[in-house]
Amino acid sequence: PAEKKTIAYHEAGHATVSWLLPNANPLLKVTIIPRGRALGAAWYLPEERQITTTEQMMDEMAATMGGRAAEEIINGKISTGALSDLEKITKQAYAMVSYFGMSEKVGHISFYDSQDSGYNFSKPYSEKTAELIDAEAKMLINKAHDQAIAILKANMTGFTELAELLLSREVIFTEDMERIFGPRAKEEKEETPAPATAE
């Protein structure tokens, strides 16, 4: 029962944070019925995007950290249940810094090599830059973690209600999220300036 409760709160943490962040993918369904090696599972509706902004990636990372954050808040300790979440955000943070040029300190530079055949073991940067990349990736992960904690603490009533519903029913849907938290926040779209008209 204690493990099932941890899993329910972990999944409710993901669901709550993703629902309340406008740039995260919208949730369709969450279950705590084990599937293979996964203790619980959530299905999201990824938006069709050709490009992804820093804000969208940060909201996705915070939603991914929602499970670990939930365990910390509810149990006061962490478990191995967040392994795949941590793997995902670590890769994402390093990609943001070293591939997509999304770090002010590292700059508008990419160490991605589309021509790499997998046999290239040299890195095109110094040890000092490697340390900076590590520090920047860690900073992004910590920022996403702190955001997840803040969202869950600010919405404890709904988060707890969702977790308890998941514990009793073992599955929740979009309608449950809407009933508990209200309509989902809209994605922040950039304002497109109106085209200039000729006089």
Side-chain angles (χ1 to χ4, degrees):
E3 199 169 87
K4 190 175 179 183
K5 180 183 176 185
T6 296
I7 296 164
Y9 274 85
H10 181 105
E11 294 300 335
H14 286 307
T16 300
V17 177
S18 71
W19 190 262
L20 296 171
L21 286 175
N23 300 305
N25 289 323
L27 181 85
L28 294 176
K29 174 185 172 184
V30 180
T31 181
I32 56 169
I33 300 167
R35 299 240 183 316
R37 288 173 51 202
L39 302 173
W43 288 265
Y44 297 89
L45 183 63
E47 292 197 15
E48 289 186 33
R49 297 178 183 143
Q50 296 299 315
I51 57 171
T52 306
T53 66
T54 306
E55 293 73 24
Q56 289 164 336
M57 292 184 93
M58 287 305 298
D59 280 5
E60 285 296 326
M61 283 176 62
T64 303
M65 283 302 277
R68 168 58 64 97
E71 287 185 35
E72 289 176 61
I73 291 169
I74 299 304
N75 297 333
K77 53 189 166 202
I78 57 175
S79 75
T80 58
L83 174 61
S84 63
D85 299 335
L86 297 175
E87 179 187 11
K88 179 183 174 186
I89 64 155
T90 300
K91 287 178 178 174
Q92 194 166 353
Y94 273 94
M96 289 173 74
V97 174
S98 59
Y99 290 173
F100 303 127
M102 292 177 167
S103 158
E104 283 184 27
K105 289 184 181 174
V106 175
H108 304 290
I109 192 166
S110 177
F111 299 111
Y112 180 73
D113 183 0
S114 60
Q115 305 301 312
D116 185 7
S117 61
Y119 300 108
N120 184 3
F121 295 111
S122 64
K123 57 182 193 246
Y125 47 85
S126 67
E127 201 52 47
K128 188 176 178 184
T129 300
E131 289 174 11
L132 183 58
I133 290 170
D134 289 342
E136 286 292 279
K138 191 172 193 312
M139 180 273 297
L140 290 174
I141 292 167
N142 288 342
K143 190 174 172 185
H145 171 263
D146 293 348
Q147 187 177 21
I149 291 274
I151 288 170
L152 293 177
K153 284 186 173 179
N155 295 277
M156 276 304 286
T157 305
F159 162 51
T160 305
E161 184 183 342
L162 186 66
E164 292 300 323
L165 182 65
L166 194 50
L167 205 50
S168 65
R169 279 200 345 219
E170 295 189 330
V171 64
I172 54 170
F173 300 94
T174 304
E175 308 84 77
D176 301 309
M177 302 298 296
E178 277 192 348
R179 184 180 54 75
I180 293 170
F181 295 108
R184 192 163 181 277
K186 296 279 184 252
E187 183 172 352
E188 296 164 12
K189 302 265 187 228
E190 288 186 27
E191 292 294 316
T192 307
T197 53
E199 293 290 320

